[in-house]
């Protein structure tokens, strides 16, 4: 069983209130079909359907204070209750104490050691690496775990060759914001199909989507709604190929996990992170979903579930 982990930064399960929650306001027909008409809100979980399961899981992991990005992402990749061991949540980028957990114990490191094929399938532009090399930028938890595992981050050539996706899924940002006027651009549905194709090349793959957290901090409802509606179209393209191969449902080959590190964008009445539970949305074979989500309660349960699924 292959696992595709789509990390949506800063997405909690909030009130079903379109006045403050973009996930309650956005038109997301593909997601709603998976959830039998429900939106991705607090009142939708738990849900166990024919094609998807949704749980509400705790990002605070029993530690006081608001959950933060560096520790939350590190938990997701290691299964360790890092805030409990350190005594605090931390973010946005990892300090030395958080970074130490990402040296050898992450999913990327474990996959590499066991000969499992794994990758972060985001493409990064040249200026990202220039910032890292100059010391003006430091890695966030996810790319740090990748590089610590001895794996390479994908560069612009991988985007052009179709071996990775841009952080906005479609590639429009590379043209409009980065000046790559000849970079490939996909519509969201095409991006979803590309994501499905790429995920089948790996035992464990991860795609990081950080724009949702930015929109939450900026309290931009229109932007946030647009991001979620684009994501829903990506989701439609992603799940479409899973049912096409020779007329057979191929969900048995790929399990899709969508979750987050902390709440934020689901409540635009505040710029801060929230105390909300985050979604664990799992798409694929029903039996595999049942095993994956069994006894799942908080962020520490994600990495062990992924590892067990990949190794079975």
């Amino acid at each position: 069983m292959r696992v595709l982990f789509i990390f949506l930064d800063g997405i909690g399960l909030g009130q079903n209130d379109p006045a403050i929650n973009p996930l309650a306001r956005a038109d997301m027909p593909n997601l709603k079909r998976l959830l039998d008409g429900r939106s991705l809100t607090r009142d939708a979980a738990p849900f166990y359907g024919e094609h998807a399961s949704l749980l509400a899981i705790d990002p605070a992991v029993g530690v006081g204070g608001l959950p933060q990005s560096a520790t939350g992402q590190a938990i997701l990749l290691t299964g360790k209750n890092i805030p409990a061991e350190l005594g605090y949540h931390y973010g946005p980028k990892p300090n030395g104490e958080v970074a130490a957990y990402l040296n050898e114990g992450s999913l990327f490191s474990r996959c590499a050691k066991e000969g499992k094929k794994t990758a972060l399938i985001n493409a990064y532009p040249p200026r990202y690496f220039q910032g890292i090399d100059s010391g003006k930028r430091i890695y966030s938890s996810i790319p740090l775990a990748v590089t610590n595992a001895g794996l390479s981050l994908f560069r612009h050539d991988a985007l052009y060759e179709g071996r990775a996706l841009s952080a906005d899924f479609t590639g429009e940002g590379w043209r409009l914001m980065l000046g790559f006027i000849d970079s490939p651009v996909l519509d969201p549905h095409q991006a979803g199909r590309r994501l499905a194709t790429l995920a089948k090349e790996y035992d464990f793959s991860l795609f990081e989507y950080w724009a949702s957290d930015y929109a939450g901090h900026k309290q931009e409802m229109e932007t946030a709604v647009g991001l979620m509606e684009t994501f829903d179209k990506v989701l439609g393209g992603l799940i479409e190929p899973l049912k096409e191969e020779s007329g057979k449902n191929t969900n048995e080959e790929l399990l899709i996990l969508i979750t987050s590190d902390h709440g934020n964008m689901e409540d635009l009445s505040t710029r801060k992170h929230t105390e909300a539970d985050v979604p664990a949305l799992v798409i694929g074979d029903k039996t595999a979903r049942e095993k994956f989500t069994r006894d799942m309660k908080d962020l520490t349960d994600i990495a062990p579930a992924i590892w067990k699924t990949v190794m079975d």
Side-chain angles (χ1 to χ4, degrees):
M1 177 72 70
R2 303 175 191 276
V3 176
L4 168 63
F5 179 0
I6 300 177
F7 171 70
L8 298 183
D9 198 345
I11 296 287
L13 289 172
Q15 300 177 46
N16 195 357
D17 181 358
I20 62 171
N21 188 353
L23 290 156
R25 180 181 291 200
D27 181 18
M28 303 181 73
N30 294 297
L31 179 67
K32 285 187 174 182
R33 275 194 290 271
L34 288 171
L35 299 179
D36 289 352
R38 297 165 176 81
S39 298
L40 196 63
T41 53
R42 184 189 306 159
D43 55 7
F47 170 81
Y48 302 94
E50 191 62 30
H51 303 293
S53 304
L54 174 65
L55 297 181
I57 60 174
D58 176 23
V61 293
V63 177
L66 294 176
Q68 300 295 325
S69 297
T71 43
Q73 293 166 30
I75 298 169
L76 288 168
L77 291 174
T78 64
K80 296 180 179 179
N81 193 333
I82 297 168
E85 294 186 17
L86 297 180
Y88 59 87
H89 298 284
Y90 191 82
K93 302 290 181 68
N95 62 7
E97 290 186 307
V98 177
Y101 286 89
L102 298 169
N103 281 334
E104 295 183 355
S106 77
L107 287 168
F108 292 109
S109 293
R110 295 173 71 185
C111 283
K113 289 177 182 177
E114 293 293 331
K116 297 292 184 179
K117 194 173 181 183
T118 184
L120 172 61
I121 50 182
N122 293 67
Y124 291 82
R127 73 179 191 184
Y128 176 85
F129 296 100
Q130 291 165 3
I132 294 293
D133 293 341
S134 69
K136 295 180 179 179
R137 177 193 293 267
I138 65 172
Y139 288 123
S140 57
S141 290
I142 293 174
L144 178 62
V146 173
T147 56
N148 282 351
L151 304 170
S152 298
L153 298 176
F154 286 124
R155 297 174 179 259
H156 67 282
D157 59 324
L159 178 69
Y160 278 69
E161 295 167 6
R163 295 184 288 112
L165 289 174
S166 64
D168 64 354
F169 290 111
T170 65
E172 289 185 2
W174 281 60
R175 289 195 179 190
L176 298 177
M177 302 179 67
L178 300 179
F180 287 81
I181 59 174
D182 61 342
S183 65
V185 174
L186 307 171
D187 66 42
H189 188 86
Q190 291 173 326
R193 290 186 66 93
R194 178 71 56 79
L195 190 56
T197 298
L198 292 173
K200 290 181 181 180
E201 297 180 9
Y202 299 96
D203 297 295
F204 169 62
S205 55
L206 190 152
F207 181 85
E208 179 180 11
Y209 187 67
W210 47 260
S212 45
D213 193 48
Y214 274 57
H217 285 301
K218 292 181 179 179
Q219 296 177 284
E220 296 178 348
M221 177 63 78
E222 184 176 350
T223 298
V225 167
L227 292 175
M228 291 300 96
E229 291 182 348
T230 295
F231 172 69
D232 187 73
K233 293 172 184 174
V234 173
L235 182 62
L238 172 62
I239 62 178
E240 185 178 73
L242 301 179
K243 300 179 181 179
E244 288 183 347
E245 190 174 298
S246 302
K248 174 186 175 183
N249 188 322
T250 59
N251 282 355
E252 296 177 1
E253 300 176 6
L254 179 66
L255 199 67
I256 301 165
L257 165 69
I258 301 169
T259 192
S260 189
D261 51 352
H262 57 74
N264 180 5
M265 198 193 76
E266 80 288 350
D267 184 359
L268 294 187
S269 69
T270 177
R271 292 180 181 272
K272 296 181 180 180
H273 293 179
T274 70
E275 296 179 344
D277 286 344
V278 298
L281 177 62
V282 186
I283 304 166
D285 176 73
K286 193 170 186 179
T287 300
R289 285 188 281 120
E290 290 173 351
K291 291 180 180 179
F292 189 91
T293 59
R294 189 172 298 153
D295 299 323
M296 185 171 282
K297 296 180 177 63
D298 63 36
L299 294 192
T300 64
D301 297 315
I302 293 292
I306 292 173
W307 184 247
K308 184 175 181 180
T309 303
V310 169
M311 294 301 292
D312 277 351

